[in-house]
Amino acid sequence: MTWELLSEHASFGGVQRFHRHASAEIGLAMRFGLYLPPQALAGQRVPLLVYLAGLTCTEETFTMKAGAQRLAAELGLALLMPDTSPRGAGVAGEADGWDFGVGAGFYLDATQAPWSTHWRMESYLLRELLPQVGAQAPVLPDRTGIFGHSMGGHGALTLALRHPGVFKSLSAFAPICAPSSCPWGIKAFSGYLGEDRGNWAAHDASALMAAQAAAPYPHGILIDQGLADKFLAEQLHPEAFEAACAAVGQPLLLRRQAGYDHGYYFIASFVDDHLRHHARQLVG
């Protein structure tokens, strides 16, 4: 499908572009950011790292705040930053619930009306955007990694576990690790998936990991969590994912960072470590 180029910006020898396209899966226009490092501009196909942002964010948030392009250029990684959610669907309550879950995409396909018509973020990413990027950009689709923050950390963990083999590397910043057990997740899952909690485990990272027969990422998963994060105790529950990883023998480096909160100063402080984590598994 045709991508509309909204803007482009030279960055560390590469180019940061913002695009809009008509999405068949969502049924609305969607936006995304794509950073191509200098190696890609020189004609080389490069690995692709997907970043999923959190509640209230857009395709611009990580792109403009994290400072990831400098090291991505050095490592030869393309960066894909999709928007988090459908926009302008006209659903009652679409905007009102963003801070609490319903209205934000949560990187799943809703099954309940009125959300099921447009809230199809899982299918959009896996069946539409990633195949398009693989076909139209100078990237290596078989060397794709994924990471994200908060709701996007939830999305990175769940999509990686739900689609074995698609993503070769995995990490997260302050992810919602057990959405079936936290207020954000309960509200979102109730709205999108219905009140039958038996359907929720398929989108709960801790439950998905606990159901693995063997370690899905033998080279390790990296998670950074700030200890000054005001959402840590009530919403995030990294200890649940940590326990699930231990139970199935999944190597996990869960770094609890003293003094750091939930925002982009935290992400910018450790994003280089995440890029290097992915490059070790994607480059070469």
Side-chain angles (χ1 to χ4, degrees):
M1 298 181 71
T2 302
W3 298 350
E4 178 185 358
L5 179 63
L6 299 175
S7 66
E8 66 178 5
H9 316 274
S11 180
F12 296 100
V15 63
Q16 176 64 59
R17 292 176 176 147
F18 291 97
H19 295 277
R20 178 169 55 203
H21 68 142
S23 167
E25 289 290 344
I26 300 294
L28 298 165
M30 294 292 290
R31 297 178 182 237
F32 63 92
L34 180 64
Y35 177 71
L36 296 176
Q39 297 88 337
L41 299 187
Q44 179 181 339
R45 296 176 72 84
V46 298
L48 177 66
L49 182 54
V50 181
Y51 177 85
L52 304 182
L55 285 164
T56 76
C57 295
T58 72
E59 74 284 355
E60 293 184 332
T61 312
F62 175 87
T63 310
M64 298 176 71
K65 290 185 175 182
Q69 291 91 342
R70 179 192 58 80
L71 187 57
E74 179 182 322
L75 296 173
L77 293 173
L79 302 174
L80 174 64
M81 288 72 62
D83 198 357
T84 67
S85 314
R87 308 278 176 181
V91 175
E94 175 184 346
D96 297 340
W98 277 72
D99 286 332
F100 307 101
V102 177
F106 259 83
Y107 303 103
L108 50 73
D109 288 356
T111 61
Q112 304 298 303
W115 309 103
S116 53
T117 302
H118 298 292
W119 270 253
R120 297 179 49 78
M121 288 299 296
E122 182 171 8
S123 289
Y124 167 66
L125 291 171
L126 272 296
R127 298 172 57 182
E128 188 169 20
L129 184 59
L130 279 175
Q132 285 189 28
V133 172
Q136 298 189 44
V139 300
L140 296 163
D142 61 342
R143 295 187 187 178
T144 299
I146 191 167
F147 69 149
H149 169 234
S150 191
M151 179 186 75
H154 145 80
L157 296 176
T158 58
L159 294 180
L161 294 173
R162 284 173 56 80
H163 299 276
V166 173
F167 302 104
K168 306 302 183 186
S169 56
L170 175 60
S171 74
F173 295 96
I176 303 171
C177 289
S180 299
S181 305
C182 76
W184 281 340
I186 291 169
K187 183 168 184 178
F189 284 5
S190 297
Y192 295 150
L193 303 175
E195 298 294 341
D196 183 354
R197 295 194 175 208
N199 297 324
W200 295 6
H203 299 278
D204 184 305
S206 296
L208 285 165
M209 182 58 76
Q212 301 294 310
Y217 286 89
H219 297 293
I221 298 169
L222 171 63
I223 291 178
D224 275 302
Q225 173 61 62
L227 293 181
D229 189 326
K230 66 181 180 180
F231 303 117
L232 175 56
E234 186 177 23
Q235 303 284 9
L236 304 180
H237 301 302
E239 70 283 351
F241 190 73
E242 184 177 41
C245 286
V248 301
Q250 169 60 54
L252 171 68
L253 179 57
L254 172 55
R255 306 193 304 186
R256 293 172 167 89
Q257 305 287 6
Y260 285 90
D261 61 19
H262 197 69
Y264 269 80
Y265 294 111
F266 159 61
I267 293 172
S269 297
F270 300 107
V271 68
D272 283 6
D273 292 345
H274 285 250
L275 294 182
R276 290 191 175 98
H277 165 83
H278 290 276
R280 284 193 291 270
Q281 299 178 51
L282 299 176
V283 177

